[in-house]
Amino acid sequence: MKASNVLSLLVATLVAVNFALAVREDPLQIFPQLKRSRKTISGFADILVTAQSEVLLSEESFVKNSISDESALLNQLAGSDVQASGPECLDFIRKSVTQLLNLAGISYTNCFNDVDNRMFEELSKIPELALTRADYDKYNLLGVFRGENIFIDPVSIRNKLTNRMRAPINLPTVTPETEAALRTVFEKLKTNFHTCMSSAQTKLASNLQYTSQQVRAICAAEASKRI
């Protein structure tokens, strides 16, 4: 393959990699927004919003790690031996990586849905709240992920988050005993969420590692046949 062709392929791949990374940066904007927009409220409403915010913010490290793993894999495509295989193999790898991230986004959303359902289930047990699901969802921060994927349309999630953080929260007071019990429940839910996210991220990392092996075993191997 001529040097000029190799150079052209290299430039094209680097542009594609940088574009992919730029697209993946957007999900991280959800978290600074949440940190800046936290309300100053009091009483039981503050306990609830704080618990939900902590769950949301705990996702940040998982998203960062996912993007970092994706970046490391895509950077392999800039290798001269991989580049020499031509665009077909590289394009397949890029599409595979995108699909793996999107699948991970579904798993992350499932983790949110689970903790969200469990949180409402616990709140619905408190008679003095008389909380319906419709009322809860007006300001429910965890629900912004329902039907969404942080790696596909983070803008939609950010817009939902903005609207829900602006919504007024009118909740009756509960007894100190109930507050203490719910704090314990919320801590357990956060632990469960972390376990769910860790499992999902581990699966993504394993899938990306396998794809990384394919870069060497297939794309680079294909290039070696042409030498």
Side-chain angles (χ1 to χ4, degrees):
M1 182 178 290
K2 294 182 179 180
S4 59
N5 291 338
V6 172
L7 180 60
S8 297
L9 280 173
L10 177 59
V11 171
T13 298
L14 289 176
V15 170
V17 170
N18 289 333
F19 175 75
L21 297 182
V23 171
R24 294 304 183 193
E25 288 297 326
D26 201 35
L28 296 175
Q29 296 305 310
I30 291 171
F31 306 104
Q33 174 190 357
L34 181 61
K35 294 171 185 176
R36 291 192 303 267
S37 305
R38 291 186 64 174
K39 294 180 178 180
T40 302
I41 50 182
S42 59
F44 174 67
D46 180 61
I47 296 173
L48 176 58
V49 170
T50 297
Q52 292 191 334
S53 296
E54 288 175 354
V55 170
L56 282 167
L57 290 173
S58 69
E59 190 198 24
E60 183 175 20
S61 62
F62 295 101
V63 174
K64 283 183 176 179
N65 289 338
S66 299
I67 293 173
S68 177
D69 288 345
E70 178 201 31
S71 301
L73 196 158
L74 290 177
N75 285 338
Q76 291 185 36
L77 302 185
S80 58
D81 54 345
V82 178
Q83 284 285 313
S85 68
E88 184 176 358
C89 197
L90 301 181
D91 186 56
F92 175 78
I93 293 296
R94 284 195 293 268
K95 289 179 179 178
S96 296
V97 172
T98 298
Q99 291 174 349
L100 289 175
L101 264 289
N102 291 345
L103 285 172
I106 293 174
S107 295
Y108 292 172
T109 295
N110 289 340
C111 293
F112 273 110
N113 291 345
D114 181 64
V115 71
D116 180 31
N117 289 336
R118 292 175 183 271
M119 183 171 287
F120 174 72
E121 181 181 342
E122 294 297 330
L123 293 173
S124 65
K125 295 176 182 178
I126 304 173
E128 56 264 45
L129 289 180
L131 193 64
T132 67
R133 184 76 205 202
D135 290 336
Y136 172 69
D137 282 338
K138 291 177 182 177
Y139 53 82
N140 172 26
L141 302 183
L142 301 178
V144 300
F145 279 88
R146 284 194 180 274
E148 304 292 352
N149 188 317
I150 193 168
F151 294 119
I152 293 178
D153 193 4
V155 174
S156 178
I157 296 173
R158 294 208 316 265
N159 291 339
K160 287 183 179 179
L161 184 61
T162 297
N163 292 334
R164 294 199 181 186
M165 294 201 73
R166 290 173 177 170
I169 304 178
N170 299 313
L171 289 174
T173 59
V174 297
T175 66
E177 292 78 15
T178 298
E179 283 191 6
L182 284 174
R183 287 181 189 273
T184 300
V185 169
F186 291 162
E187 286 300 318
K188 183 178 180 180
L189 291 179
K190 283 186 284 185
T191 299
N192 291 344
F193 176 77
H194 190 277
T195 300
C196 181
M197 292 291 291
S198 294
S199 176
Q201 187 191 329
T202 297
K203 291 176 182 177
L204 171 63
S206 177
N207 288 333
L208 289 176
Q209 177 61 32
Y210 178 77
T211 303
S212 174
Q213 294 170 358
Q214 302 313 299
V215 173
R216 309 306 313 165
I218 299 178
C219 295
E222 177 64 23
S224 67
K225 296 177 183 178
R226 303 180 183 183
I227 298 175

